[in-house]
Amino acid sequence: MNSFLEVRNLNLSLKAGMPILRSVSLNVAAGQVHGLVGESGAGKSMIGKAVLGTLPRALQVTSGEIWLDGVNLNSLPTAERRKTIGAKAALIPQDPLTALNPSKRIGPQITRRLVDILGWQKSDAEARAVELLHEVHIPDPARVMKSYPHELSGGMRQRILIASAFAAEPKLIIADEPTTALDVTVQKQILRLIAEMQQRHDTALLFVTHDLGVVSKTCDTLSVLYAGKVIEEARMRRFFTRPIHPYSAALLKATPTYTNPRGSLTPVPQSVIDATEREVREHDMRASR
Amino acid sequence: MTVFRNILIRLLTTAVTLFGVAVIVFVVIRVVPGNPIAMMLPPGATDADIARLQAQYGFDKSIFQQFMIWLSGVMQGDFGTSISTRQPVAGLVLSRLPATLELSIVALTIAMLLGGALALAGTRFRETKAEAAVDITSGMALSIPDFLWGLVLILLFGVLWPVFHISGRISPALNIDFSTNFYLFESILRLRFDVIADLVGHMFMPALALAIPLAAIIAQLLKQSLKETMHLDYVTLARTKGYGENHVITREALPNAVLPTLTLVGVQFTFLIGGTVIIERLFSYEGLGNMAIDAVINRDLPLIQGIVILFAFLFTIVNLVVDMLYVLLNPKLRHA
């Protein structure tokens, strides 16, 4: 399989020494959707941040490689790495309310980078932005381009951020829990929109979420993360019919279903958590040896 | 319409503020010990002489009556006559105002450039020794008051390396026939480079002394605000678009980080204008502040009143301008 994004044995830790990611490897093939699931704190967002080069300053990559479109990102000087990432990958952020600059109009927030970094003509960039806003079903794009973020709703802003992510025709989109901050009715529309845009533009998509239900609808493959370690990597159909790792199986069982509204919530059993914890600790022992 | 109404309300509150200031100043300078008449007469003047002069200046009436007389004059643009110079207060004060305004504005400009540069450098190199250096520099600059900076500058640029003038506003030998007292602004408009050079040579040290503490405040506030902004999602998003650190700081973070700093800088600028009183004295700079000290020493009550009212007026104008700038720079308020 031809990977567009390949993460090899990525180790990430706090500068104080505490490990955050433990030998994480994953592949996202061109045009494919890869889900990244795990509990809060499992480190799933950190993988996306490591790829995009936006890790918090307190974290550092201790070992491992990130290959994007056949280029080892770690081998590039900082400025060039930023440009490469900017041209080939894009982020759909978690919270649309804080991800747009409050003092700038929407138009320039989509078009400026096309002009500044990719050297487009201003008129081309503006035409492109209008086209993209149409694609994400925003009525009257010309007016929206002149608006400030505070004049638009959360759902509108997330649509704008999706449009903006696709502006430079990146071949990889990283969606970092793109619906968590939205209310349930808008969530579905946004998910459908991301899937629609991904297919139309034929991009690879790394979909970070804690919602297995979302993964089942959108992804081709997935990785399950626990305490910064990938404990299972699978194709979608196989994962939902025959999960291999006990934690995955327990996680699947814990997913609430709408078909049985009176059923009580199923927690992941403590024995499974303990066994998984042990596995992580054994990994650390092997790594330190 | 609302903008117009807001400005009207502000002008009304300004008028009330100025009236309050006038009452307080008028009463205080008459209640504190020290008699202007005593300063004017030679030793050995008779009681009759004193009474005659007091009647002439109206000091024999009650404070309330004096205030009403003064107020009715002010309504007609007459701020009284200076006791020490026997000239109209309004003319005296307005002739000195341009000197102080120019000094304050130049000082503010230096403070913003210096403080802004320090804040940007501290943010660019945050969590390194360079940021610590910015913190230490601004902490030191802030803990030394402006008049001490004045002395330090005199020592540096007046004594050890005498490149700047240490007193006055302009060299008397210089031939200027300007139509206003805004020498600096007018010489810039007229492209009189000889005059500009001379004025800057005189203004450099007092302006810098006034600017240093304000620059330190701007550096600290703006750096703090910038660092908080750098953690926000839209800054992170700009990084993923391929922008470098310098662009991210100046284009994405700065326009938002400036807002909380702006209000405080407005308040601090009024302190700077107040600081001109001592700094102008120190550098024998012929502005309002210098005149204020003379007026106090001479117990020139009408002149003191005029100067204080003018200062109060300046402060309210500065606040008004800051509020308007805030609305102008903040899109959330612009359409409200």
Side-chain angles (χ1 to χ4, degrees):
Chain A
M1 196 165 53
N2 181 15
S3 311
F4 187 78
L5 169 70
E6 191 178 353
V7 178
R8 289 183 197 158
N9 289 319
L10 184 68
N11 279 292
L12 187 67
S13 65
L14 281 176
K15 283 189 176 148
M18 155 117 183
I20 301 294
L21 293 180
R22 299 168 150 99
S23 305
V24 166
S25 294
L26 58 85
N27 293 293
V28 185
Q32 294 279 296
V33 184
H34 186 83
L36 196 52
V37 295
E39 306 169 21
S40 344
K44 49 194 191 304
S45 286
M46 290 306 147
I47 296 177
K49 289 193 161 101
V51 173
L52 292 170
T54 56
L55 284 172
R57 282 167 171 252
L59 296 183
Q60 61 182 5
V61 174
T62 47
S63 68
E65 288 170 1
I66 298 169
W67 291 74
L68 187 66
D69 197 16
V71 179
N72 182 0
L73 290 180
N74 312 42
S75 71
L76 299 176
T78 314
E80 205 172 316
R81 184 167 64 230
R82 275 190 173 178
K83 272 191 187 159
T84 306
I85 293 168
K88 295 188 172 175
L91 171 72
I92 299 175
Q94 180 168 5
D95 186 354
L97 299 184
T98 57
L100 288 165
N101 191 328
S103 67
K104 289 185 176 177
R105 293 176 199 273
I106 298 297
Q109 299 204 41
I110 302 175
T111 59
R112 277 317 294 267
R113 49 96 74 97
L114 297 176
V115 177
D116 289 349
I117 296 173
L118 304 175
W120 289 37
Q121 291 293 316
K122 195 165 173 248
S123 53
D124 292 348
E126 269 161 14
R128 170 85 173 143
V130 170
E131 185 190 311
L132 282 162
L133 291 176
H134 265 303
E135 284 183 18
V136 297
H137 312 300
I138 282 180
D140 199 357
R143 187 186 58 81
V144 169
M145 299 247 299
K146 290 199 188 78
S147 308
Y148 284 97
H150 71 272
E151 297 165 333
L152 305 167
S153 70
M156 282 277 262
R157 290 193 227 180
Q158 191 59 297
R159 282 167 193 277
I160 288 163
L161 287 161
I162 291 168
S164 175
F166 282 90
E169 286 292 354
K171 285 294 150 207
L172 171 71
I173 299 273
I174 296 178
D176 186 1
E177 309 218 23
T179 58
T180 314
L182 302 169
D183 67 70
V184 184
T185 49
V186 185
Q187 277 185 10
K188 256 194 178 162
Q189 299 169 16
I190 295 295
L191 281 176
R192 207 175 302 137
L193 180 64
I194 293 174
E196 189 187 318
M197 292 292 280
Q198 181 265 331
Q199 271 161 21
R200 175 177 297 160
H201 294 268
D202 193 30
T203 51
L205 176 62
L206 181 63
F207 201 102
V208 179
T209 180
H210 57 253
D211 189 339
L212 273 178
V214 166
V215 169
S216 70
K217 288 190 200 86
T218 48
C219 300
D220 302 307
T221 53
L222 94 166
S223 303
V224 181
L225 211 63
Y226 184 88
K229 187 176 180 320
V230 175
I231 56 168
E232 180 156 3
E233 194 173 4
R235 295 199 62 80
M236 215 59 233
R237 169 96 45 88
R238 204 272 287 145
F239 180 80
F240 278 92
T241 49
R242 284 176 290 112
I244 293 171
H245 199 279
Y247 177 77
S248 307
L251 208 59
L252 270 178
K253 237 183 238 160
T255 308
T257 52
Y258 295 107
T259 48
N260 181 16
R262 268 190 280 177
S264 59
L265 291 173
T266 322
V268 175
Q270 190 60 44
S271 58
V272 176
I273 293 177
D274 290 344
T276 317
E277 286 279 1
R278 224 169 7 252
E279 203 177 308
V280 169
R281 245 175 287 128
E282 276 163 21
H283 170 268
D284 283 356
M285 301 263 279
R286 272 199 310 279
S288 64
R289 220 174 283 151
Chain B
M1 258 350 260
T2 46
V3 176
F4 183 71
R5 225 190 79 206
N6 285 343
I7 291 178
L8 200 72
I9 291 172
R10 285 300 293 260
L11 287 178
L12 278 175
T13 52
T14 302
V16 175
T17 309
L18 291 180
F19 181 79
V21 170
V23 171
I24 292 169
V25 173
F26 204 90
V27 174
V28 166
I29 59 179
R30 279 168 176 76
V31 170
V32 294
N35 186 343
I37 304 300
M39 304 290 294
M40 300 169 70
L41 289 169
T46 61
D47 284 354
D49 289 336
I50 294 173
R52 191 174 48 79
L53 261 180
Q54 280 201 320
Q56 188 186 330
Y57 283 96
F59 293 131
D60 53 342
K61 299 191 174 67
S62 73
I63 291 180
F64 179 74
Q65 278 174 316
Q66 289 181 42
F67 185 71
M68 293 318 284
I69 293 169
W70 179 79
L71 196 63
S72 66
V74 167
M75 291 300 173
Q76 299 157 37
D78 176 14
F79 282 77
T81 306
S82 157
I83 295 175
S84 52
T85 65
R86 293 164 212 261
Q87 285 173 20
V89 166
L92 276 177
V93 165
L94 288 181
S95 73
R96 289 290 189 97
L97 175 65
T100 298
L101 274 186
E102 284 188 347
L103 181 64
S104 307
I105 290 169
V106 169
L108 178 67
T109 311
I110 296 175
M112 289 196 296
L113 292 178
L114 218 58
L118 277 177
L120 287 174
T123 310
R124 179 68 184 81
F125 303 106
R126 60 193 177 285
E127 286 151 45
T128 66
K129 285 188 181 122
E131 191 195 358
V134 168
D135 288 341
I136 293 169
T137 311
S138 59
M140 254 172 56
L142 194 55
S143 52
I144 299 175
D146 47 14
F147 57 88
L148 270 183
W149 279 116
L151 290 176
V152 170
L153 291 174
I154 288 176
L155 203 64
L156 283 178
F157 299 116
V159 179
L160 293 178
W161 186 43
V163 283
F164 294 108
H165 300 276
I166 56 166
S167 79
R169 183 180 179 205
I170 189 163
S171 300
L174 215 58
N175 175 28
I176 50 165
D177 43 354
F178 285 176
S179 44
T180 67
N181 280 344
F182 286 101
Y183 293 162
L184 185 64
F185 299 151
E186 195 170 341
S187 61
I188 290 170
L189 286 179
R190 286 173 187 251
L191 300 177
R192 286 284 300 272
F193 294 108
D194 54 332
V195 183
I196 297 174
D198 185 73
L199 286 166
V200 169
H202 281 93
M203 200 185 267
F204 177 78
M205 283 198 283
L208 191 59
L210 285 166
I212 288 174
L214 181 57
I217 292 172
I218 293 176
Q220 288 185 350
L221 287 174
L222 187 58
K223 181 167 75 74
Q224 191 54 39
S225 179
L226 270 172
K227 282 178 73 181
E228 279 162 21
T229 311
M230 292 304 284
H231 291 295
L232 297 181
D233 288 352
Y234 58 81
V235 174
T236 307
L237 196 62
R239 285 207 184 95
T240 69
K241 290 176 179 175
Y243 284 114
E245 192 70 8
N246 291 338
H247 178 103
V248 167
I249 291 175
T250 55
R251 299 293 174 78
E252 297 287 334
L254 188 61
N256 297 292
V258 158
L259 288 176
T261 318
L262 185 67
T263 332
L264 281 154
V265 169
V267 175
Q268 293 295 334
F269 182 50
T270 58
F271 288 147
L272 185 150
I273 296 177
T276 58
V277 172
I278 292 176
I279 289 294
E280 285 181 4
R281 192 68 175 183
L282 189 63
F283 289 94
S284 307
Y285 186 89
E286 291 125 32
L288 267 184
N290 213 344
M291 183 185 257
I293 291 183
D294 285 335
V296 170
I297 291 173
N298 294 326
R299 299 275 162 211
D300 193 340
L301 303 191
L303 192 53
I304 297 174
Q305 276 148 223
I307 293 171
V308 172
I309 299 276
L310 188 61
F311 269 119
F313 182 67
L314 283 182
F315 293 170
T316 51
I317 292 292
V318 168
N319 282 330
L320 188 65
V321 168
V322 167
D323 286 358
M324 276 158 52
L325 269 180
Y326 195 86
V327 172
L328 204 69
L329 293 177
N330 190 345
K332 283 187 195 172
L333 297 175
R334 208 179 301 162
H335 306 291

